[in-house]
Amino acid sequence: MPVQRSGTVPVISPCRTERSDYEYFTTPCLTFPDESSCLYYETLPPSRTRDRGFVGDTVREMEAAADWASLSDEELLEHRISKLGLELETTPLEPLIQQLYSELSAKGLAFRPPTHIGDEWFVPIGVPAIFVPFFLVHDRLRALERSMMLEVEGETPEWFMKLMRHEAGHAYMYAYRLTRKKKWQEMFGQTSDEETPSFYRPRPFSRSYVMHLDDWYAQAHPDEDFAETFAIWLTPDFDWRKRYAAWKALQKLEYVDELMRSLAGKPPVHMPKYREADYNFLNVKLKTYYARKRKLYEEIYPGFYDIDLRQLFAAPAGIKASSYLRQRRRRLMNSVAQFTNEKKFRVNKLLTRLIDRSDELGLRVQNDDPQQDFRVASYITTLVMNYLFTGKFKRTK
């Protein structure tokens, strides 16, 4: 999920959905899941530094990168991202970026935010440029991302464009110094140079904010409120006046419409010089990138409580509860992730802990109980939602 960040403090922002195949970049997606049904959002600030292995380009690195697409995951992870020779030109992403520019032009807007490859979705604070994650640029890297993280953020054209419109809002905010306007501050609140907060408590039924990305993201920060409102306003063939009629958020949309009309045809007033390498965070090996990313997601859930497991798997005889969970692992992971909007990687790690602890406790379950699957799915969903909604991992009883 997109967030702003400076060149010195990167942020990983999780997002999720179900679609996966590379072909979706060239084939229209007919059924795209709804993306507005989560109760909590977080952005995770990693402490990342660049690898200290090789300094500067070497012939050996460049030669090794020439055929990296055919390598195994283990071999590919040894490569530095910046040495893979990735470019946006001639990839399936290029026409989607051009689509964003066409949408802006259709609104009479002249500024086309430059788009670069980075380690995640983001716009650097104060810099009107969009960075898209490197793993979307090549099908081999998407496969690696799915292997390592179980899903790929922005993998479908619809999802990609939603994120691009949001990021374009941030870019316009900086390019025209919109946050300095008194009315902007009245509409969206006082901005700051701080990152999007790590935790926020949304009001799911509030009509003061639009709903564009998951997790009521407009409620995270005034800048995100504007970016989300801008994205809704920019979306082609979307009747936002009808959709948000009687909502307080309509006032924000009307303001954005008025503001953008005033900027029609005008060049940016703020275009600072910058180096892509200072912001893209790609000078690390893939194994370092994923080690940090996975560690962040793994640490979300602390331990769980034995009393719950003993109540859930209380059969005196039957199959091992750990075996039962392993057999249903993928189905449980997919369903819980779908209905909670939690990352599959985290749900999978939670399942691993449940399996391991059930094995340690020697718990068993009747395999022919028709209600058991429902109870287990409900329990795991409750654990996840308790954490998402409160920011704390609470017992279910």
Side-chain angles (χ1 to χ4, degrees):
M1 189 106 357
V3 293
Q4 306 169 70
R5 67 181 180 188
S6 67
T8 57
V9 185
V11 175
I12 290 179
S13 57
C15 188
R16 77 268 316 158
T17 191
E18 290 294 318
R19 310 301 290 246
S20 61
D21 298 334
Y22 173 57
E23 64 197 30
Y24 287 143
F25 278 106
T26 54
T27 304
C29 176
L30 300 179
T31 55
F32 191 68
D34 176 67
E35 292 191 70
S36 58
S37 57
C38 191
L39 294 176
Y40 168 84
Y41 184 82
E42 62 185 333
T43 54
L44 303 171
S47 55
R48 289 187 283 181
T49 56
R50 296 172 185 267
D51 278 354
R52 301 182 182 275
F54 293 104
V55 178
D57 296 343
T58 66
V59 174
R60 184 157 61 89
E61 278 184 312
M62 299 305 291
E63 289 178 347
D67 58 352
W68 56 263
S70 62
L71 299 177
S72 67
D73 283 1
E74 184 177 6
E75 294 170 324
L76 183 55
L77 288 169
E78 293 295 330
H79 283 261
R80 194 177 298 272
I81 305 171
S82 59
K83 304 305 179 186
L84 298 181
L86 302 178
E87 296 180 351
L88 290 172
E89 292 74 14
T90 72
T91 72
L93 300 184
E94 186 177 27
L96 297 178
I97 295 170
Q98 292 302 319
Q99 180 180 330
L100 173 70
Y101 296 159
S102 296
E103 292 174 7
L104 294 169
S105 296
K107 295 286 191 177
L109 298 174
F111 175 52
R112 295 184 170 191
T115 304
H116 310 294
I117 299 172
D119 63 336
E120 296 290 341
W121 286 96
F122 70 99
V123 168
I125 290 178
V127 179
I130 299 172
F131 285 75
V132 301
F134 70 91
F135 49 76
L136 292 177
V137 176
H138 195 284
D139 56 349
R140 178 66 185 91
L141 295 175
R142 275 190 299 279
L144 180 64
E145 174 77 6
R146 181 165 296 280
S147 174
M148 300 299 291
M149 303 306 301
L150 304 180
E151 54 194 331
V152 183
E153 182 181 16
E155 62 185 342
T156 71
E158 291 82 1
W159 195 4
F160 185 90
M161 291 308 302
K162 277 194 167 188
L163 293 165
M164 286 294 287
R165 293 179 191 117
H166 175 102
E167 300 295 7
H170 286 305
Y172 264 73
M173 189 175 69
Y174 295 134
Y176 294 91
R177 297 189 183 277
L178 301 181
T179 60
R180 297 185 177 186
K181 296 180 178 293
K182 183 178 180 180
K183 191 169 182 180
W184 192 100
Q185 296 173 9
E186 292 174 352
M187 284 289 175
F188 300 103
Q190 189 67 43
T191 187
S192 69
D193 290 336
E194 297 179 359
E195 308 293 342
T196 300
S198 297
F199 299 95
Y200 63 92
R201 191 74 58 80
R203 292 173 290 147
F205 302 105
S206 174
R207 292 194 168 194
S208 297
Y209 305 87
V210 299
M211 294 188 295
H212 177 65
L213 297 177
D214 282 343
D215 315 314
W216 293 273
Y217 195 48
Q219 300 185 35
H221 187 279
D223 293 1
E224 305 304 340
D225 190 6
F226 172 78
E228 288 287 83
T229 306
F230 179 93
I232 288 289
W233 172 83
L234 184 61
T235 303
D237 303 319
F238 183 72
D239 191 347
W240 48 265
R241 286 188 174 88
K242 180 178 179 181
R243 170 64 179 82
Y244 289 97
W247 284 48
K248 188 175 180 180
L250 184 61
Q251 298 176 18
K252 297 176 181 177
L253 284 161
E254 294 283 7
Y255 169 67
V256 169
D257 185 56
E258 173 190 340
L259 181 60
M260 292 303 117
R261 288 178 187 275
S262 72
L263 299 179
K266 295 182 179 180
V269 299
H270 176 66
M271 282 297 294
K273 293 182 179 180
Y274 63 93
R275 293 196 322 146
E276 293 177 42
D278 290 339
Y279 295 99
N280 64 24
F281 295 93
L282 297 180
N283 193 30
V284 296
K285 289 185 178 181
L286 281 160
K287 68 177 182 182
T288 302
Y289 171 82
Y290 283 113
R292 292 167 178 167
K293 194 170 183 178
R294 288 162 66 103
K295 186 173 186 292
L296 286 170
Y297 294 157
E298 287 173 3
E299 292 178 349
I300 287 301
Y301 292 111
F304 41 85
Y305 298 95
D306 292 355
I307 187 171
D308 291 341
L309 292 176
R310 287 195 171 100
Q311 291 179 358
L312 191 63
F313 303 120
I319 67 171
K320 294 175 66 175
S322 57
S323 299
Y324 167 89
L325 289 172
R326 286 190 183 95
Q327 293 170 9
R328 292 157 176 80
R329 182 178 195 141
R330 181 168 294 277
R331 187 170 63 194
L332 286 167
M333 177 188 69
N334 289 336
S335 62
V336 171
Q338 178 182 357
F339 290 107
T340 64
N341 272 332
E342 179 57 289
K343 298 290 288 184
K344 288 183 179 180
F345 185 83
R346 291 178 182 149
V347 176
N348 190 52
K349 295 302 295 185
L350 177 58
L351 280 166
T352 296
R353 296 184 182 187
L354 289 168
I355 290 170
D356 291 345
R357 188 56 181 160
S358 295
D359 209 22
E360 293 170 0
L361 295 174
L363 302 178
R364 293 189 172 272
V365 61
Q366 293 291 342
N367 199 31
D368 57 354
D369 184 349
Q371 295 299 315
Q372 188 65 41
D373 286 1
F374 173 77
R375 287 193 292 268
V376 171
S378 298
Y379 171 67
I380 297 173
T381 299
T382 302
L383 290 180
V384 173
M385 293 308 295
N386 279 346
Y387 185 85
L388 293 179
F389 190 63
T390 66
K392 297 179 181 179
F393 192 85
K394 300 195 304 183
R395 285 199 56 221
T396 59
K397 310 283 193 302

